[in-house]
Amino acid sequence: MSGLKDIVIALDEGTTNAKAVALDGHGNVIAKFSQALTIQTPREGWVEQSGEMLIAASVQVIAQAIAHVGAERVAALAISNQRETAIGWYRSSGQPLTSAITWQCSRTADFCEGLRRDNLAAHIKATTGLPVAPLFSASKMRWLLESVPNGFALAEQGEICLGTIDSWLLWNLTQGKAFACDYSNAARTQLLNLQQAGWDDEMLTIFHIPRAALPDIRPSSGLFGYTAGLNEIPDGIPIMSMVGDSHAALFGHAMGELGRVKATYGTGSSVMAPVTSAQCNIDSLATTIAWHDGQTMVFGLEGNIPHTGDAVAWMVDMTGLDALSKDELADALTTLPASVDSTLGVYFVPALTGLGAPWWSENARGLICGLSRGVKRAHLIRAALESITYQIADVVLAMRQHSDFTLSALMVDGGPTCNDWLMQYQADLLGCPVMRSDIPELSAIGAALLARKALSPMTQAEMKSYVSAHSTFHPDMQRHGRLQKRWHEWRHAVERTLEKTSPPVA
């Protein structure tokens, strides 16, 4: 594309920021705008956000991007969004029932435990691909209906809408003319039948969610609606893609090429691999729909880790490095681990609020073991960084149980990936190339590419020309062999952590 109508503006609506990224007809980022978002924690374990704030921030950054490039050049909008976060609103007024319940919120833990006691967990996993956990949207939607008078009856009558954040954004950008979500977000609700790719009547019954309250499910790439009724944004701009942010990042890296596994390094980490079948028999991992590109459904195998970058941040605080400036800290996190040959046998299991995939122990708590007199700050920092790579490797090991899984390269994004020492250690540990995107806005890029595909049908080769460049860290295979022993010892440390979660013997 060239000339007029050559720009796609991608909204990346995350948990901490709403970002709008403008990409030209060649896939180059030409402008980006960001607005910080606030999070409320009114009770222990509760995490929520104002639905009105999410809309206001999203509209603001989209408007800034449109003003920067000129409305006459905007071909389409694309949306990538924080997943699992659930919100409900009244159909007639568009007013939220309550604040949105974020993916981090654990207020429905007791309900989820009840599902396990009722021996429903295995059936739910087999149907939806997802383990029973407060993370997913269905139990949150149930809580939303319980929180308002006559919630279930109003939802049954279609007077209440329930959705993930993509649905909420679409509703507001189109002034209520479109109520839909995409397959990737629907697959994170725990209400979708993964084999049939539709809302599952039995899951709706288990979670007490009326079908009339849920959005239509559409391919991630295609027309969802047109902007309307917003003072800051012109009417009539087509919204041509919606997709969950982690899924969008996987698409932005390599468009679902088998063997290209994605790992996002942030506060926690999402490891996702494209697979061709909805195999759901790996208990420690989630199976999901990665996206539907308008022609083909691509499935994803995923493991979520709660503490990776967060583990390093905790160790930074504990060792006094938090007094450094941002640039000084970034330098220290590269030079300190490289200044020692090992951790001197120290292992850090950062189960600060429990362990995620593939261990799934909510009651596990952190452990530092192997301390000796010679251990210094550099060894502890190195142990924290190594813990990231071991947790990623644990998920990859679990993924190898899937018949379609292959690993030719680990595609990485997120703030901690700027640490070259960390990336090289990850490559050496896994024994495969680690490829770091040269552009950080992978979720926005993936959503924009899906919109571009909907605007103008392209071959796979033509689509690949839009994929951003990557810096590659090649593995040292001799070192790979040595690191396998360290990884083995790490897993022993994890087992010690898990042992501490067992009830004491009387």
Side-chain angles (χ1 to χ4, degrees):
M1 288 186 179
S2 61
L4 296 179
K5 301 294 183 186
D6 62 333
I7 290 175
V8 172
I9 293 177
L11 170 68
D12 181 14
E13 196 294 300
T15 311
T16 57
N17 291 279
K19 303 174 185 175
V21 180
L23 297 99
D24 67 15
H26 302 288
N28 300 312
V29 175
I30 59 174
K32 50 189 175 182
F33 299 88
S34 180
Q35 176 65 43
L37 302 173
T38 57
I39 297 171
Q40 290 81 42
T41 54
R43 300 186 194 178
E44 182 179 358
W46 288 34
V47 188
E48 59 190 39
Q49 291 182 298
S50 162
E52 293 95 338
M53 175 201 65
L54 296 179
I55 296 302
S58 298
V59 168
Q60 177 181 329
V61 294
I62 292 171
Q64 288 174 321
I66 292 174
H68 182 83
V69 302
E72 70 282 356
R73 293 187 62 189
V74 177
L77 298 182
I79 294 172
S80 80
N81 61 281
Q82 56 172 303
R83 306 178 301 164
E84 295 103 12
T85 296
I87 189 168
W89 64 97
Y90 295 102
R91 187 181 291 270
S92 59
S93 66
Q95 292 300 306
L97 309 183
T98 69
S99 295
I101 306 176
T102 78
W103 58 275
Q104 298 164 306
C105 187
S106 60
R107 71 183 66 183
T108 62
D110 288 345
F111 174 77
C112 292
E113 182 56 34
L115 296 177
R116 297 188 196 103
R117 286 196 304 269
D118 293 340
N119 297 315
L120 290 169
H123 179 58
I124 291 171
K125 176 71 159 60
T127 303
T128 69
L130 306 175
V132 171
L135 167 69
F136 304 110
S137 312
S139 63
K140 302 179 193 296
M141 291 178 176
R142 179 183 181 278
W143 189 97
L144 287 168
L145 294 182
E146 286 184 325
S147 70
V148 296
N150 303 315
F152 291 100
L154 290 172
E156 189 73 54
Q157 297 162 16
E159 298 297 326
I160 286 178
C161 299
L162 296 169
T164 43
I165 296 302
D166 60 330
S167 300
W168 174 239
L169 292 167
L170 179 67
W171 176 277
N172 282 276
L173 289 172
T174 64
Q175 290 297 289
K177 293 182 174 64
F179 182 36
C181 67
D182 92 298
Y183 280 102
S184 73
N185 280 289
R188 306 302 294 180
T189 62
Q190 212 151 47
L191 298 173
L192 185 89
N193 186 305
L194 204 61
Q195 304 293 338
Q196 299 174 7
W199 300 126
D200 185 87
D201 289 337
E202 194 170 4
M203 294 301 110
L204 297 180
T205 299
I206 288 172
F207 288 96
H208 309 289
I209 305 298
R211 173 64 184 84
L214 293 174
D216 295 332
I217 309 172
R218 300 180 188 172
S220 315
S221 177
L223 178 63
F224 283 87
Y226 296 90
T227 57
L230 299 163
N231 294 330
E232 306 91 335
I233 297 174
D235 291 352
I237 300 175
I239 300 163
M240 298 300 290
S241 74
M242 298 202 306
V243 61
D245 53 10
S246 191
H247 310 246
L250 178 62
F251 191 83
H253 273 298
M255 294 184 300
E257 182 180 339
L258 292 179
R260 300 298 179 103
V261 179
K262 186 251 357 169
T264 298
Y265 295 64
T267 301
S269 289
S270 160
V271 186
M272 186 182 289
V275 290
T276 58
S277 64
Q279 179 182 332
C280 298
N281 61 349
I282 303 175
D283 291 339
S284 58
L285 300 174
T287 307
T288 192
I289 295 173
W291 57 76
H292 189 311
D293 68 1
Q295 297 173 311
T296 305
M297 186 93 73
V298 175
F299 295 96
L301 193 63
E302 184 175 19
N304 296 98
I305 306 166
H307 302 289
T308 50
D310 190 38
V312 177
W314 184 89
M315 192 65 80
V316 163
D317 289 344
M318 292 301 101
T319 55
L321 291 178
D322 54 321
L324 298 178
S325 70
K326 183 178 180 180
D327 289 342
E328 289 171 337
L329 179 58
D331 183 63
L333 291 178
T334 299
T335 57
L336 280 174
S339 70
V340 291
D341 293 332
S342 71
T343 65
L344 287 185
V346 173
Y347 291 93
F348 174 34
V349 182
L352 303 178
T353 60
L355 284 170
W359 309 102
W360 292 114
S361 174
E362 298 173 5
N363 297 321
R365 288 297 178 264
L367 173 73
I368 300 174
C369 62
L371 291 170
S372 63
R373 187 65 184 84
V375 171
K376 306 295 183 186
R377 179 162 62 182
H379 301 103
L380 294 172
I381 291 297
R382 177 167 175 146
L385 288 164
E386 286 187 8
S387 77
I388 297 178
T389 69
Y390 298 141
Q391 291 182 97
I392 298 289
D394 287 343
V395 172
V396 170
L397 179 64
M399 285 179 166
R400 294 188 185 279
Q401 300 174 59
H402 196 289
S403 59
D404 294 336
F405 177 80
T406 58
L407 175 64
S408 59
L410 186 72
M411 319 296 291
V412 302
D413 58 88
T417 66
C418 295
N419 187 320
D420 288 355
W421 183 90
L422 177 65
M423 294 297 96
Q424 189 61 56
Y425 196 95
Q426 187 77 79
D428 295 343
L429 177 64
L430 290 175
C432 76
V434 168
M435 301 179 67
R436 178 177 64 200
S437 174
D438 293 345
I439 299 176
E441 296 84 13
L442 259 297
S443 294
I445 288 171
L449 286 176
L450 286 166
R452 187 76 64 186
K453 187 178 190 303
L455 287 169
S456 177
M458 289 180 278
T459 65
Q460 190 75 357
E462 289 173 327
M463 285 289 291
K464 283 186 176 180
S465 68
Y466 288 90
V467 174
S468 61
H470 288 72
S471 299
T472 303
F473 296 82
H474 296 283
D476 179 336
M477 295 310 293
Q478 288 187 335
R479 192 178 184 222
H480 170 67
R482 296 194 298 271
L483 295 189
Q484 294 303 292
K485 182 178 179 181
R486 294 190 188 180
W487 183 25
H488 183 72
E489 293 299 322
W490 150 267
R491 292 175 71 86
H492 280 313
V494 173
E495 289 170 5
R496 292 176 62 183
T497 305
L498 294 171
E499 288 171 2
K500 294 182 181 297
T501 68
S502 301
V505 179

